[in-house]
Amino acid sequence: MGGTGVWLVGARGSVATTAIAGAAAIRAGGAPPTGCVAELPDFTGAGLPPLSDLVFGGHDVVDTPLRKRAEQLVRAGVLPASTVRLVADDLESAEAELRVADPDAGNTGPQAGTIARIVDDLIDFGIRNGLERTVVVNVASTEPPCTPHPAHRDLDALDTALRGPGPVLPPSSVYAYAAFRAGCGFVDFTPSTGARLPALHELALRTRQPYAGRDGKTGETLLRSVLAPMFARRGLDVLSWSGTNLLGGGDGATLADPRAAASKNASKQRVLERNLGGPVDGQVHIDYVPALGEWKTAWDHVLFEGFLGARMSLQLTWQGCDSALAAPLVLDLARFTAKACRAGARGPVPELGFFFKDPVGDVPHDLATQYVLLRDWAQR
Amino acid sequence: MGGTGVWLVGARGSVATTAIAGAAAIRAGGAPPTGCVAELPDFTGAGLPPLSDLVFGGHDVVDTPLRKRAEQLVRAGVLPASTVRLVADDLESAEAELRVADPDAGNTGPQAGTIARIVDDLIDFGIRNGLERTVVVNVASTEPPCTPHPAHRDLDALDTALRGPGPVLPPSSVYAYAAFRAGCGFVDFTPSTGARLPALHELALRTRQPYAGRDGKTGETLLRSVLAPMFARRGLDVLSWSGTNLLGGGDGATLADPRAAASKNASKQRVLERNLGGPVDGQVHIDYVPALGEWKTAWDHVLFEGFLGARMSLQLTWQGCDSALAAPLVLDLARFTAKACRAGARGPVPELGFFFKDPVGDVPHDLATQYVLLRDWAQR
Amino acid sequence: MGGTGVWLVGARGSVATTAIAGAAAIRAGGAPPTGCVAELPDFTGAGLPPLSDLVFGGHDVVDTPLRKRAEQLVRAGVLPASTVRLVADDLESAEAELRVADPDAGNTGPQAGTIARIVDDLIDFGIRNGLERTVVVNVASTEPPCTPHPAHRDLDALDTALRGPGPVLPPSSVYAYAAFRAGCGFVDFTPSTGARLPALHELALRTRQPYAGRDGKTGETLLRSVLAPMFARRGLDVLSWSGTNLLGGGDGATLADPRAAASKNASKQRVLERNLGGPVDGQVHIDYVPALGEWKTAWDHVLFEGFLGARMSLQLTWQGCDSALAAPLVLDLARFTAKACRAGARGPVPELGFFFKDPVGDVPHDLATQYVLLRDWAQR
Amino acid sequence: MGGTGVWLVGARGSVATTAIAGAAAIRAGGAPPTGCVAELPDFTGAGLPPLSDLVFGGHDVVDTPLRKRAEQLVRAGVLPASTVRLVADDLESAEAELRVADPDAGNTGPQAGTIARIVDDLIDFGIRNGLERTVVVNVASTEPPCTPHPAHRDLDALDTALRGPGPVLPPSSVYAYAAFRAGCGFVDFTPSTGARLPALHELALRTRQPYAGRDGKTGETLLRSVLAPMFARRGLDVLSWSGTNLLGGGDGATLADPRAAASKNASKQRVLERNLGGPVDGQVHIDYVPALGEWKTAWDHVLFEGFLGARMSLQLTWQGCDSALAAPLVLDLARFTAKACRAGARGPVPELGFFFKDPVGDVPHDLATQYVLLRDWAQR
């Protein structure tokens, strides 16, 4: 039987390039699968498509060759030079499967035409590579918050509106729509809207496709999803939780836009509220520091009260490489979503909440419980 | 029916004084039960003895009045002055129940005499106060590692040896022995030996008493027990985990003794090993910094490797007041152990592993799973 | 000869209350003069008025008694309870010298009337206490940036405008004007405008009074003024310097207003630029975290490049009590400014740049050089 | 006239390799002289030998080719790959000037023979390269503390002892002796003994050679030498200063030996004592963490008391690459010491105290004053 397609929206970005190069390196025996959840002993025998069966394709608005992007990531300290030499052929194969994204996707209409082209690309990709199925994963830059439109609430209205002039859906939602129409599962690894509109939910159900998201949990929020439950389980009273994120790279530049940052911050604070049982004082800042390159530093300060009002604090500094943290999760999500497809799941897959800052569906908010949910689901 | 006795070994120490004053303040409505696990909604209806039914007594080798100790803790910023004024009468009541510890307990023999006196004190305490039962909680200073003795392996041999000359058991084990003989459950909140000897385990089973321990998890190890599982569940490879603890107060002075520190460090690194599946590089230092008073600062540095070998790090600084962190857990443990007694538990209670660095029995090592175990047990 | 008057604008604020209580406690032998620069051996024999000769008065818009403010500062952990008991009489004496500030000072005009009342208060204060001289120190809340007015450029124009309707000067400058007219030196411990207008500079020269400011250097900027020179002297290239300040208390609330924060941030980044020889990337955030009370936490992250482009970093966390840091410097500045008066200084006193984030005059920007300048001037 | 020789003891170590590669890269225009103090505008016209006139040679006990060491440093993230390609020829030239060190230097005697061979190597080096003069710089691994020997006190006794059996001098001192006899200045960049023996001081004076040291100040101590004076100048009372250093690489392994660490720690605490006017509580730990490779992380915690006893704290985390920090200082020291030679300096050069943790001679202990001393001396 055929492989599993992974169609990356933002396929020439750092995360996508790292995921493609890394999957090839692991397959070639050039690296252990560090950071890949699906490779943990708990998931042996879970029927996930093996890493070596993944076939990569995707869209991007830029056309820098993958090979060149990989070399940039070597200089940035993300990829080892030896890895890039080892996987040169795999990068060429993936390169052949990349298509230029319609730069106007979501901006000028009618968007029905853009969608039809994406659907064609997805179907051609599957046929050309003899794939059993394809999962679309959005790793493009974060969009500004979505402008509401009446057609978002109803699939029939949406279908009509997409044929009219003007943008109706943001780009991430255009891809979700196209994915479902092409019979693909959809994962939103970013805080963008993606499949999170009633009309798209309806489409997922009607086309019997699963979706997952949103906003991969790779650093500060990952920590919050284990530390906030710790305070809650000990009955300690969190008085404030403040954070500053210093980001270089493309993500930092995008998030320096206060509108894009707003969606990200909302999901970060939501993790605290849900774990701590109510709103928590404190701001989150996202600063663009170009010199950090592909790296990020997050500092969190938690002020809490214990027995008889004693004031205490916890500080955290997380220094990580965003692409190295995100890429293995992108591979995981493609594989788990493929399994969900095979198992006939449709609509949101709450069991994948483990991977996200702002998971769809009614899911627990602490990482440990999310892990148990994922493991038990995968082993069923 | 009568109250529940809490007999504190080290009853004039900072932890014990804070626990006694805090229980009284909460009972009087002068403080919320912040930091008390047993007061979380998950434990409503679990049949725990209410905080207001606890009656305190205990032993100590010093005789500074509790009231004076409480005033010292006000000056150290641990207790609010208003709390101490509010609970003055309760401190006097507890004062009347304190007894001077045999300063030679465990050091010169025969220890059978020391034990007989402790048993008498425990039984008198119960009768005088009409108690349903009593739990003995060890919050005395950490002992140096226990000197092995052949009689530790067998209860009959131990009974014989205790009647002979010379010390056989360390003080914490003398108390465990006496507790079991007096029909009391036993909790070891310190890294000392306590009930952890085959002969004492046998005695607990024979006298049908439960025990729990050891070494309350109040800071660095608490964090490790949620963060190490996070790394494990994400497939990230922890390369080193280093820690420095700066402690003032009595505990700092005791742990500055390398032999006492050795037991504590061993349990700290064990939490990492069990959660991460093998030994982890890195040292833990415990420094005595008198000027810190009742406060402690712990810094942890974790170096980890992600996808394709990317090196990343996490740093933590925890600034807390040890007594404020430990005291509510002492109250929790007394109440949960009382419930275990009532439920007929004997021997180690693995469900109380949530509270300890180095839990007895075959228990999970991550805090979230420990919590589920505790909650489900308590609700049964 | 008489004492030295210290007239505090914002006399019931935390800084002023701490300064008044602290001076009294030191005089009474109840506390060492920790944090007082003027008490260092380098300033013995410099002819500064002794701490015991300071007499306090001041204006405030609120009327909470000093005693009550002091008790609040005890509960907030700033003042020891024993200190407040010790200096109760001194607080009463100071209380008798406090006057209610015109709440409209600087907001509705004509401001000439407000100024006349302040001048009267200052002169009465001097006569009543038989003072040799008085120094006015502004420790009121930070103002928003000053609205430019043509009369700011010229003293004659200003005098005319002050007699007309509407506000011409911000409150801090009203006080500077009044101070000079009353024959007093003026210190601006805040980032407000104070004496920093050409017309007020002219008035200082004409009335032969010295002034100093602005914005006391008590934490993050103090550190920056020693660390930025370190990088410069080692030829290391600072790529970014980011900071987050978490403040409780009144100052935090005021600075949460972006306009007030703007003046503060500008002076923080200026210290870096002047020490590092050009603009430095990085933002500074000021967050109001009410639960911190009188305390502040500042986190700085410095990314720098060394030999052959090696990227390295420094992080700092400063946890301090603003009032405890500022109060001894207020006492220092009153005493050094009194000396400047006596020595006939007029206009800005660059030798006091050691104390300020944004010093007046052409002064060095690293703390070590500023100290040498201060010491040599004082010893002359 | 000829160039300036730089003879490196430990010439194949990371610091030496980085220094040789870096000097070549800067000369070739492939890198700016970041981190080189001698290239700051303050030292223009100071008559220092230009970087491009330095000629490298040295001794090492191992024989790994410099080219291979440079490639290791590329993989460790210390040297850019492009730099090593650019300077391949220069590494070959330096390779030709390296000699195998007598592995027994300092361990078995008579040491006079070892010294004679070193002197020959130094003189041959000078002649072969037509050098004006040579400076010997010790960058070998830290030695354990020196075993006292009566001959250390007197040059005549030393000369006699060196001709007898058994080791008299530790290796670093053997090199200092040989350097002086060969007419070379000597720099000790490590905490080893070097020229710090009365007999060697006598030899330096008799041979009219300058020396400098010891223990280059590249991280934690550099910070301490600006921060301790900050506390002192503000009259703040430092209660404790604790530090933990995590080191990978060879230096970490060496310093894990408690005897070697002892010398290093002593000089770290000395910087505090001299700046703060007395002993300061607190320990310093040096942990070997192999996974850190060439990088080090230092955490410092400072507890201090301000006005009226307020307790405050400062924490620092310094993350640096030791070789990148040390290498430019090695180049600086060779150049400044060459200038000292030319100027006829003999014995210790206190003006070079700016570079050292534990400077020779009666020198100031704060970095700012040390810099002024260096600058003024260089400009004379």
Side-chain angles (χ1 to χ4, degrees):
Chain A
M1 188 51 221
T4 297
V6 185
W7 189 266
L8 298 159
V9 182
R12 299 181 188 282
S14 297
V15 173
T17 306
T18 304
I20 296 170
I26 295 166
R27 186 164 48 204
T34 313
C36 294
V37 175
E39 297 293 320
L40 293 177
D42 276 343
F43 299 98
T44 309
L48 299 169
L51 262 180
S52 53
D53 281 6
L54 302 184
V55 178
F56 295 93
H59 278 114
D60 206 311
V61 289
V62 301
D63 60 2
T64 323
L66 271 184
R67 182 187 45 71
K68 199 163 167 192
R69 289 291 293 119
E71 284 161 7
Q72 290 167 352
L73 291 169
V74 169
R75 283 194 294 279
V78 180
L79 298 179
S82 57
T83 298
V84 174
R85 282 193 297 272
L86 179 71
V87 303
D89 290 351
D90 301 86
L91 292 177
E92 287 312 310
S93 308
E95 182 72 47
E97 296 294 349
L98 301 196
R99 298 292 174 267
V100 177
D102 181 349
D104 280 331
N107 292 324
T108 63
Q111 292 183 307
T114 300
I115 288 169
R117 282 188 296 276
I118 298 172
V119 170
D120 282 353
D121 284 344
L122 286 170
I123 289 176
D124 288 353
F125 175 60
I127 294 172
R128 192 165 54 245
N129 292 283
L131 302 174
E132 186 181 337
R133 65 175 46 78
T134 292
V135 176
V136 175
V137 185
N138 179 26
V139 287
S141 291
T142 297
E143 299 164 2
C146 172
T147 310
H149 188 289
H152 291 173
R153 288 196 295 261
D154 175 83
L155 182 55
D156 290 339
L158 179 62
D159 284 338
T160 306
L162 288 171
R163 286 189 299 267
V168 179
L169 292 175
S172 62
S173 301
V174 165
Y175 275 100
Y177 187 104
F180 296 148
R181 285 288 181 202
C184 300
F186 179 79
V187 176
D188 201 337
F189 202 78
T190 78
S192 302
T193 307
R196 290 227 171 176
L197 295 172
L200 290 174
H201 176 71
E202 201 182 332
L203 179 61
L205 295 183
R206 209 182 288 174
T207 57
R208 301 171 173 261
Q209 294 303 323
Y211 65 89
R214 68 183 177 192
D215 205 1
K217 192 158 63 184
T218 58
E220 193 184 46
T221 309
L222 178 65
L223 290 166
R224 290 174 167 207
S225 72
V226 297
L227 290 167
M230 179 195 81
F231 288 108
R233 285 174 185 140
R234 280 294 176 93
L236 299 166
D237 193 8
V238 172
L239 303 177
S240 67
W241 198 310
S242 309
T244 296
N245 293 269
L246 310 179
L247 304 182
D251 207 29
T254 305
L255 293 170
D257 174 350
R259 291 184 312 152
S263 9
K264 197 144 197 132
N265 285 347
S267 60
K268 277 170 184 279
Q269 291 301 95
R270 207 172 298 128
V271 169
L272 295 183
E273 285 185 37
R274 294 201 180 150
N275 275 299
L276 295 172
V280 178
D281 201 21
Q283 297 179 52
V284 175
H285 304 286
I286 302 186
D287 292 3
Y288 177 43
V289 178
L292 279 170
E294 295 284 329
W295 295 75
K296 70 178 171 188
T297 295
W299 176 73
D300 264 29
H301 177 274
V302 189
L303 180 70
F304 65 98
E305 190 170 290
F307 203 54
L308 303 177
R311 294 289 167 92
M312 302 181 269
S313 72
L314 171 65
Q315 290 175 64
L316 304 161
T317 302
W318 174 265
Q319 294 170 300
C321 172
D322 216 27
S323 303
L325 289 162
L329 303 183
V330 165
L331 301 175
D332 284 331
L333 280 163
R335 297 165 74 190
F336 281 108
T337 304
K339 180 186 158 80
C341 291
R342 197 180 295 169
R346 60 184 84 166
V349 187
E351 292 85 357
L352 299 181
F354 174 74
F355 294 100
F356 297 109
K357 286 195 190 69
D358 188 19
V360 291
D362 180 25
V363 295
H365 298 285
D366 71 286
L367 192 81
T369 312
Q370 289 171 339
Y371 182 80
V372 171
L373 197 69
L374 174 68
R375 186 192 61 200
D376 292 353
W377 170 78
Q379 286 171 348
R380 266 205 300 274
Chain B
M1 188 53 223
T4 297
V6 185
W7 190 267
L8 299 158
V9 183
R12 300 183 189 281
S14 297
V15 173
T17 307
T18 305
I20 296 169
I26 296 167
R27 187 167 44 206
T34 312
C36 293
V37 175
E39 296 293 320
L40 293 177
D42 276 343
F43 299 98
T44 308
L48 299 170
L51 262 179
S52 52
D53 282 6
L54 302 184
V55 178
F56 295 93
H59 277 116
D60 205 311
V61 290
V62 300
D63 60 1
T64 324
L66 271 185
R67 183 187 44 71
K68 199 166 169 191
R69 289 291 292 118
E71 284 160 10
Q72 289 167 352
L73 292 169
V74 169
R75 284 195 294 279
V78 180
L79 297 179
S82 57
T83 298
V84 175
R85 281 193 298 272
L86 179 71
V87 303
D89 290 350
D90 302 85
L91 293 177
E92 287 312 309
S93 308
E95 183 71 47
E97 296 294 348
L98 302 195
R99 298 291 173 267
V100 177
D102 180 348
D104 279 332
N107 292 324
T108 64
Q111 293 183 305
T114 300
I115 288 168
R117 282 189 295 276
I118 298 172
V119 170
D120 282 353
D121 285 343
L122 287 170
I123 288 175
D124 289 351
F125 175 60
I127 294 171
R128 193 165 52 245
N129 293 283
L131 301 174
E132 187 181 335
R133 64 177 47 77
T134 292
V135 177
V136 174
V137 185
N138 179 25
V139 288
S141 291
T142 298
E143 298 166 2
C146 174
T147 309
H149 188 289
H152 291 173
R153 286 196 297 262
D154 175 82
L155 182 55
D156 291 338
L158 180 60
D159 284 337
T160 306
L162 288 171
R163 287 187 298 267
V168 180
L169 292 174
S172 61
S173 302
V174 163
Y175 276 99
Y177 188 103
F180 298 148
R181 286 287 181 203
C184 301
F186 180 78
V187 175
D188 201 338
F189 201 78
T190 79
S192 301
T193 308
R196 292 225 171 178
L197 294 172
L200 290 175
H201 175 73
E202 201 182 333
L203 179 61
L205 296 183
R206 208 180 291 173
T207 57
R208 302 171 173 260
Q209 293 303 323
Y211 65 88
R214 67 185 177 189
D215 205 2
K217 192 158 64 184
T218 58
E220 194 183 46
T221 310
L222 178 65
L223 289 166
R224 290 175 167 207
S225 73
V226 296
L227 290 167
M230 180 196 82
F231 288 108
R233 286 175 183 139
R234 279 295 176 92
L236 298 166
D237 194 8
V238 172
L239 303 176
S240 66
W241 197 310
S242 308
T244 296
N245 293 268
L246 311 179
L247 304 183
D251 206 30
T254 304
L255 293 168
D257 173 351
R259 292 184 311 152
S263 10
K264 197 144 197 132
N265 285 345
S267 60
K268 279 170 184 278
Q269 291 301 94
R270 208 174 297 128
V271 169
L272 295 183
E273 286 185 38
R274 294 200 180 150
N275 275 299
L276 295 171
V280 177
D281 201 21
Q283 297 179 52
V284 175
H285 304 286
I286 302 186
D287 291 4
Y288 177 43
V289 178
L292 279 170
E294 294 285 329
W295 296 77
K296 69 178 172 188
T297 294
W299 176 72
D300 264 31
H301 178 273
V302 189
L303 182 69
F304 65 98
E305 189 169 290
F307 203 53
L308 303 176
R311 294 289 167 93
M312 302 180 270
S313 71
L314 171 65
Q315 290 175 66
L316 304 161
T317 301
W318 174 265
Q319 294 170 301
C321 170
D322 218 26
S323 303
L325 289 162
L329 304 182
V330 165
L331 300 176
D332 284 330
L333 281 162
R335 296 165 74 189
F336 281 108
T337 303
K339 181 186 157 82
C341 291
R342 196 180 294 169
R346 59 183 89 168
V349 187
E351 292 84 358
L352 299 181
F354 174 73
F355 294 99
F356 296 109
K357 285 194 190 70
D358 189 18
V360 291
D362 180 26
V363 294
H365 299 285
D366 69 286
L367 192 81
T369 311
Q370 291 171 338
Y371 183 80
V372 170
L373 199 67
L374 174 68
R375 188 192 57 200
D376 293 354
W377 170 79
Q379 286 171 348
R380 267 205 302 273
Chain C
M1 188 51 220
T4 297
V6 184
W7 189 267
L8 298 159
V9 183
R12 299 183 189 280
S14 297
V15 173
T17 307
T18 305
I20 296 170
I26 296 167
R27 184 164 48 203
T34 312
C36 294
V37 175
E39 296 294 319
L40 293 176
D42 276 343
F43 300 98
T44 308
L48 299 169
L51 261 180
S52 53
D53 282 5
L54 302 185
V55 178
F56 295 93
H59 277 114
D60 205 312
V61 289
V62 300
D63 59 1
T64 323
L66 270 185
R67 183 187 44 72
K68 199 165 168 191
R69 290 290 295 120
E71 284 161 9
Q72 290 167 351
L73 292 169
V74 170
R75 283 194 294 278
V78 181
L79 297 180
S82 57
T83 297
V84 174
R85 281 192 298 272
L86 180 70
V87 303
D89 290 351
D90 302 85
L91 292 177
E92 287 312 309
S93 308
E95 183 71 46
E97 297 293 349
L98 302 196
R99 297 293 174 265
V100 178
D102 181 349
D104 280 330
N107 292 323
T108 63
Q111 293 184 308
T114 300
I115 289 169
R117 282 188 296 276
I118 298 172
V119 170
D120 282 353
D121 285 344
L122 288 169
I123 289 175
D124 288 352
F125 175 61
I127 293 171
R128 193 164 53 244
N129 292 283
L131 302 174
E132 185 181 338
R133 64 176 48 78
T134 292
V135 176
V136 175
V137 185
N138 180 26
V139 287
S141 291
T142 298
E143 298 166 0
C146 174
T147 309
H149 188 290
H152 292 172
R153 287 196 295 262
D154 176 81
L155 182 55
D156 291 338
L158 180 62
D159 283 338
T160 305
L162 288 171
R163 286 188 299 267
V168 178
L169 292 175
S172 62
S173 301
V174 164
Y175 277 98
Y177 188 103
F180 297 148
R181 286 287 180 204
C184 301
F186 179 80
V187 175
D188 202 339
F189 202 76
T190 80
S192 301
T193 307
R196 290 227 171 177
L197 294 172
L200 290 174
H201 176 73
E202 200 182 333
L203 178 61
L205 296 183
R206 208 178 293 172
T207 57
R208 301 170 173 261
Q209 293 304 323
Y211 65 88
R214 69 183 176 190
D215 205 2
K217 192 158 64 183
T218 59
E220 193 182 47
T221 308
L222 178 66
L223 289 165
R224 290 175 166 205
S225 73
V226 296
L227 290 167
M230 179 195 82
F231 288 108
R233 284 172 185 142
R234 277 294 175 95
L236 298 166
D237 192 7
V238 173
L239 303 177
S240 67
W241 198 310
S242 308
T244 297
N245 294 268
L246 310 179
L247 304 183
D251 207 28
T254 305
L255 293 168
D257 173 351
R259 291 185 309 154
S263 10
K264 197 145 197 131
N265 285 345
S267 61
K268 278 170 183 279
Q269 291 300 97
R270 207 173 298 127
V271 169
L272 296 183
E273 285 185 38
R274 294 201 180 149
N275 275 299
L276 295 170
V280 177
D281 201 21
Q283 297 178 52
V284 175
H285 303 287
I286 301 187
D287 292 3
Y288 176 43
V289 178
L292 280 169
E294 294 285 329
W295 296 75
K296 69 178 173 188
T297 295
W299 176 73
D300 264 29
H301 177 274
V302 189
L303 181 70
F304 65 97
E305 191 171 291
F307 202 53
L308 304 175
R311 293 288 168 94
M312 301 180 271
S313 72
L314 171 64
Q315 291 175 64
L316 305 162
T317 302
W318 174 265
Q319 294 171 299
C321 172
D322 217 27
S323 303
L325 289 161
L329 304 182
V330 164
L331 301 175
D332 284 331
L333 280 162
R335 297 164 74 189
F336 281 108
T337 304
K339 182 186 155 83
C341 291
R342 197 179 295 168
R346 58 183 89 165
V349 186
E351 291 85 357
L352 299 181
F354 174 74
F355 294 98
F356 296 108
K357 287 195 188 71
D358 189 18
V360 291
D362 181 26
V363 294
H365 298 285
D366 70 286
L367 192 80
T369 312
Q370 290 171 339
Y371 183 79
V372 170
L373 198 68
L374 174 68
R375 187 192 58 200
D376 292 354
W377 170 78
Q379 287 170 346
R380 267 204 302 272
Chain D
M1 189 51 220
T4 298
V6 184
W7 189 266
L8 298 158
V9 183
R12 300 182 189 281
S14 297
V15 172
T17 307
T18 304
I20 296 170
I26 296 166
R27 185 165 48 206
T34 313
C36 294
V37 175
E39 297 294 320
L40 292 177
D42 275 344
F43 299 98
T44 309
L48 299 169
L51 262 180
S52 53
D53 281 5
L54 302 184
V55 178
F56 295 93
H59 277 114
D60 206 310
V61 289
V62 300
D63 60 2
T64 323
L66 270 185
R67 181 187 45 71
K68 199 164 167 191
R69 289 290 294 118
E71 284 161 8
Q72 290 168 351
L73 292 170
V74 169
R75 283 194 295 278
V78 180
L79 297 180
S82 57
T83 298
V84 175
R85 282 193 296 272
L86 179 72
V87 304
D89 289 351
D90 302 86
L91 292 177
E92 286 314 308
S93 309
E95 184 71 48
E97 296 293 351
L98 302 197
R99 297 293 174 266
V100 178
D102 181 348
D104 279 332
N107 292 324
T108 64
Q111 292 184 306
T114 300
I115 288 168
R117 283 189 295 277
I118 297 171
V119 169
D120 282 353
D121 285 343
L122 287 169
I123 288 174
D124 289 352
F125 174 61
I127 294 171
R128 194 165 52 246
N129 293 283
L131 302 174
E132 187 181 337
R133 67 176 46 78
T134 291
V135 176
V136 174
V137 185
N138 180 25
V139 287
S141 291
T142 299
E143 298 166 2
C146 174
T147 309
H149 188 290
H152 291 172
R153 286 197 295 261
D154 175 82
L155 182 54
D156 291 338
L158 179 61
D159 283 338
T160 306
L162 287 171
R163 287 189 297 268
V168 179
L169 291 175
S172 61
S173 301
V174 165
Y175 277 99
Y177 187 103
F180 298 148
R181 285 288 181 204
C184 301
F186 179 79
V187 175
D188 202 338
F189 201 78
T190 79
S192 301
T193 308
R196 291 225 173 178
L197 294 172
L200 290 174
H201 176 72
E202 200 182 333
L203 179 61
L205 296 182
R206 207 180 293 172
T207 58
R208 300 167 175 263
Q209 294 303 324
Y211 65 88
R214 69 183 174 190
D215 205 1
K217 191 158 63 184
T218 60
E220 193 183 45
T221 309
L222 178 64
L223 289 165
R224 289 173 168 208
S225 72
V226 297
L227 289 166
M230 179 195 81
F231 288 108
R233 285 172 185 141
R234 279 293 175 94
L236 298 165
D237 192 7
V238 172
L239 303 177
S240 67
W241 197 310
S242 308
T244 296
N245 294 268
L246 310 179
L247 303 182
D251 207 29
T254 305
L255 293 169
D257 173 352
R259 292 185 310 154
S263 9
K264 196 143 198 135
N265 285 346
S267 59
K268 278 171 184 277
Q269 292 300 97
R270 208 173 296 128
V271 168
L272 295 183
E273 285 184 39
R274 293 202 180 149
N275 275 299
L276 295 170
V280 177
D281 200 21
Q283 297 179 52
V284 175
H285 304 286
I286 302 187
D287 291 3
Y288 177 43
V289 178
L292 279 170
E294 295 284 329
W295 294 76
K296 70 177 172 188
T297 294
W299 175 73
D300 264 29
H301 177 274
V302 188
L303 181 70
F304 65 97
E305 191 170 292
F307 201 54
L308 303 176
R311 293 288 167 93
M312 301 180 270
S313 72
L314 171 65
Q315 290 175 65
L316 303 162
T317 301
W318 173 264
Q319 294 170 300
C321 171
D322 216 27
S323 304
L325 289 163
L329 303 183
V330 165
L331 301 175
D332 283 332
L333 280 162
R335 298 164 74 190
F336 281 108
T337 304
K339 181 185 157 81
C341 292
R342 197 179 294 168
R346 60 182 86 165
V349 186
E351 292 85 355
L352 299 181
F354 173 74
F355 293 99
F356 297 109
K357 286 193 190 69
D358 189 17
V360 290
D362 181 24
V363 294
H365 299 286
D366 71 286
L367 192 82
T369 313
Q370 290 172 338
Y371 183 80
V372 170
L373 198 69
L374 175 68
R375 187 192 59 199
D376 293 353
W377 170 77
Q379 285 170 349
R380 268 205 301 271

